[in-house]
């Protein structure tokens, strides 16, 4: 069964450093998303992406965040200068439908900012 | 404000019993609802979804009920199995706000006792 894959599974970084989280969405999906989950809290929307541009973003997704689809298969989330409060599990998701329906999630990247 | 929340943080059931997980939402304009299952260390896994023009939808061993009058959503799992142990999230797509991103509830942990 096709699945969304994310790498790395764990990322430890120093505050102020840049990190890039990588995702390979399901191959026939056209809509891509990043969500995050701080330990013990709700899953929160960050950004959605379609046709090489951001469709929607949340208040969390400030100038420190960016997304890119550098080739036909990868979808990345970059955090330019990490803060302690960026520590969370980051989930990539993809979907066939444009209306945020039936998102398929990856297993996540646990980001720890020290 | 808009919110999606869960009544019970933890539900413990005996193997073979039926489970009912509840979710309240406050956005009366929400028109799409979805249940996800999240096992430890994994991303949210799609279970079942329902549109606001329906009040019931059945899947394999799962049923989602939607009561728009009281803005309540429930997930029923028949003959609960140990493999059903996980955190269950409801989410909604708040179309009236212009935001299509899913808003997640805070989750209910289902514990299946053998």
């Amino acid at each position: 069964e096709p699945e969304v894959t994310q790498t790395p599974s764990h990322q430890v970084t120093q505050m102020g450093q840049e990190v890039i989280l990588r995702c390979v969405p399901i191959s026939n999906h056209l809509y891509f998303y990043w969500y995050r989950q701080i330990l013990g809290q709700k899953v929160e929307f960050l950004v959605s992406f379609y046709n090489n541009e951001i469709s929607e973003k949340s208040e969390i997704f400030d100038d420190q965040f960016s997304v890119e689809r550098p080739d036909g298969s990868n979808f990345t989330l970059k955090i330019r200068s990490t803060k302690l409060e960026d520590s969370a599990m980051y989930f990539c998701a993809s979907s066939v439908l444009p209306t945020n329906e039936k998102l398929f999630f990856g297993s996540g990247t646990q980001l720890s900012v020290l | 404000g808009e919110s999606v929340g869960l009544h019970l943080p933890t539900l413990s059931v005996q193997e073979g019993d039926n489970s009912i997980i509840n979710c309240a939402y406050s956005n009366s304009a929400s028109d799409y609802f979805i249940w996800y299952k999240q096992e430890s260390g994994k991303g949210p896994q799609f279970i079942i979804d329902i549109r606001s023009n329906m009040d019931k939808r059945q899947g394999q061993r799962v049923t989602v009920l939607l009561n728009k009058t009281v803005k309540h959503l429930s997930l029923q799992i028949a003959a609960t199995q140990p493999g059903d142990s996980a955190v269950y999230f409801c989410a909604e797509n708040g179309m009236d706000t212009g935001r299509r991103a899913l808003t997640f509830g805070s989750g209910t942990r289902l514990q299946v006792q053998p």
Side-chain angles (χ1 to χ4, degrees), chain A residues 4-32:
Chain A
V4 176
T5 58
Q6 291 186 243
T7 55
S9 57
H10 292 84
Q11 176 84 52
V12 180
T13 189
Q14 295 290 324
M15 188 170 57
Q17 295 295 305
E18 174 184 285
V19 294
I20 297 176
L21 310 183
R22 302 181 191 279
C23 170
V24 178
I26 295 173
S27 62
N28 65 331
H29 288 188
L30 300 176
Y31 302 88
F32 314 118

Side-chain angles (χ1 to χ4, degrees), chain A residues 35 37 42-43 45 56-59 91 98-107, chain B residues 4 32 36 38 41-44 46 49 51 89 93 99-102 104-106:
Chain A
Y35 283 75
Q37 186 177 29
K42 299 178 184 181
V43 176
F45 169 73
E56 186 178 352
K57 60 183 181 179
S58 71
E59 300 80 11
F91 293 109
T99 50
N100 279 255
E101 298 179 10
K102 290 185 179 171
L103 272 63
F104 288 84
F105 285 81
S107 294
Chain B
V4 179
Y32 176 77
Y36 280 96
Q38 187 177 25
K42 296 184 179 180
F46 171 83
D49 58 359
R51 295 187 184 279
F89 295 95
N93 182 336
R99 164 166 287 183
R100 292 176 170 269
L102 292 175
F104 280 78
S106 52

Side-chain angles (χ1 to χ4, degrees), chain A residues 14-80:
Chain A
Q14 295 290 324
M15 188 170 57
Q17 295 295 305
E18 174 184 285
V19 294
I20 297 176
L21 310 183
R22 302 181 191 279
C23 170
V24 178
I26 295 173
S27 62
N28 65 331
H29 288 188
L30 300 176
Y31 302 88
F32 314 118
Y33 313 84
W34 284 100
Y35 283 75
R36 78 174 186 188
Q37 186 177 29
I38 295 171
L39 184 64
Q41 298 187 22
K42 299 178 184 181
V43 176
E44 302 174 290
F45 169 73
L46 293 178
V47 66
S48 59
F49 189 86
Y50 168 69
N51 199 26
N52 282 319
E53 59 183 33
I54 291 173
S55 308
E56 186 178 352
K57 60 183 181 179
S58 71
E59 300 80 11
I60 302 169
F61 195 88
D62 61 21
D63 292 345
Q64 294 300 311
F65 291 86
S66 62
V67 289
E68 190 179 26
R69 187 154 164 82
D71 52 45
S73 60
N74 290 284
F75 179 51
T76 62
L77 174 69
K78 180 192 291 185
I79 308 175
R80 236 180 303 279

